[in-house]
Amino acid sequence: YADAKVIVESKDIIKDKPKIELYIPQLRDLVDGNIQRQINQQLTATTESALDDFNQLTNNMLLSIKKGSLPAEYANRLTLVSDYEVKLLNKNIVSILQYGYQDTGGAHPMPFAYAQTFNIKTGKNYALKDLFQPMSSFAYYLTEKIKLEIKLRNKQDNYIFTGLQEQQKFFLTREGLFIYYQPYEIAPYSEGFIYFFFPYSDLPDIKLDEILY
């Protein structure tokens, strides 16, 4: 990321029992301190939300153990781990994927991934529609491309896909746009995370100058 004058560093929250390892991305050296603070607060809030959910599930499990409806050894499984990956960082945009898993005694650990894409000059947190020109037919285009890709993967019986979500998850890289889905969103847990990649050159009406230059 030689073209960016911004550093992404980590704010860590680590605890032994229950096991909690949280690595939170934080921007540094933005020209506008208010925008930097605004973006960092949103990145922190994503991890804190996962921690709040985990704490609630942990309290429910410990109450069940106390009542005798769950064996005590279940408490040893309690785990929350979160990390992050910078997918794109340039003079205009940072796109960060925060990911991890929690284990609260279910049939299996539950992974999660939440991406956010910001304009580091304005602080804008992009929704998918913000990447495209007004009046663009991007939603129809992406929907049809994903349907075709599902057929090519021979996954029609595994995936339940009817169209883009209202708050569709995505992230950006230097090469293009990734649309993704969490386990259980459109397919069984066994399918894991599901990704659909779109090179910028294949995307009509995308604001390429704003994203990459």
Side-chain angles (χ1 to χ4, degrees):
Y1 304 112
D3 57 342
K5 296 180 180 179
V6 177
I7 296 173
V8 181
E9 58 186 10
S10 180
K11 181 172 74 173
D12 304 343
I13 300 174
I14 299 176
K15 183 180 176 183
D16 283 335
K17 290 186 178 181
K19 180 181 177 181
I20 297 175
E21 294 181 7
L22 307 178
Y23 301 97
I24 306 170
Q26 297 285 273
L27 302 188
R28 185 162 62 85
D29 295 344
L30 261 66
V31 174
D32 191 318
N34 289 328
I35 290 175
Q36 176 173 294
R37 199 158 36 248
Q38 173 187 330
I39 293 174
N40 285 342
Q41 286 173 350
Q42 292 178 75
L43 293 170
T44 300
T46 298
T47 302
E48 288 179 341
S49 178
L51 180 58
D52 288 343
D53 290 343
F54 175 75
N55 285 335
Q56 182 174 351
L57 291 169
T58 294
N59 290 336
N60 291 341
M61 175 193 277
L62 295 177
L63 182 60
S64 296
I65 291 173
K66 186 176 181 180
K67 291 180 177 179
S69 54
L70 285 177
E73 57 265 26
Y74 267 48
N76 297 327
R77 292 179 52 183
L78 289 168
T79 303
L80 176 64
V81 175
S82 177
D83 208 337
Y84 65 91
E85 184 176 348
V86 180
K87 294 295 187 177
L88 177 66
L89 175 58
N90 58 37
K91 65 181 182 180
N92 292 326
I93 298 292
V94 61
S95 190
I96 298 179
L97 182 68
Q98 295 172 261
Y99 62 90
Y101 73 92
Q102 67 175 19
D103 189 343
T104 54
H108 46 69
M110 191 62 192
F112 58 84
Y114 300 103
Q116 296 186 83
T117 297
F118 298 95
N119 186 307
I120 60 177
K121 293 181 178 178
T122 67
K124 182 179 181 63
N125 190 340
Y126 286 85
L128 183 61
K129 65 180 178 62
D130 299 324
L131 303 176
F132 297 89
Q133 300 295 339
M135 307 303 292
S136 170
S137 58
F138 76 92
Y140 174 80
Y141 175 83
L142 293 176
T143 296
E144 293 306 305
K145 285 288 188 179
I146 290 173
K147 288 179 178 178
L148 177 60
E149 179 62 23
I150 290 172
K151 289 183 180 179
L152 292 174
R153 297 180 190 181
N154 196 27
K155 292 289 188 178
Q156 301 96 312
D157 295 334
N158 299 74
Y159 296 0
I160 301 175
F161 175 80
T162 57
L164 298 177
Q165 298 171 337
E166 184 174 347
Q167 295 181 324
Q168 180 60 56
K169 300 177 186 66
F170 72 92
F171 58 83
L172 301 176
T173 68
R174 289 185 183 276
E175 292 73 33
L177 165 70
F178 281 84
I179 300 289
Y180 74 94
Y181 294 91
Q182 314 261 19
Y184 291 126
E185 283 194 307
I186 66 169
Y189 178 87
S190 58
E191 294 287 335
F193 290 96
I194 298 169
Y195 300 90
F196 299 98
F197 173 64
F198 301 90
Y200 292 124
S201 57
D202 291 351
L203 294 173
D205 304 325
I206 193 164
K207 300 175 182 177
L208 202 58
D209 288 348
E210 183 176 330
I211 294 169
L212 291 184
Y213 306 110

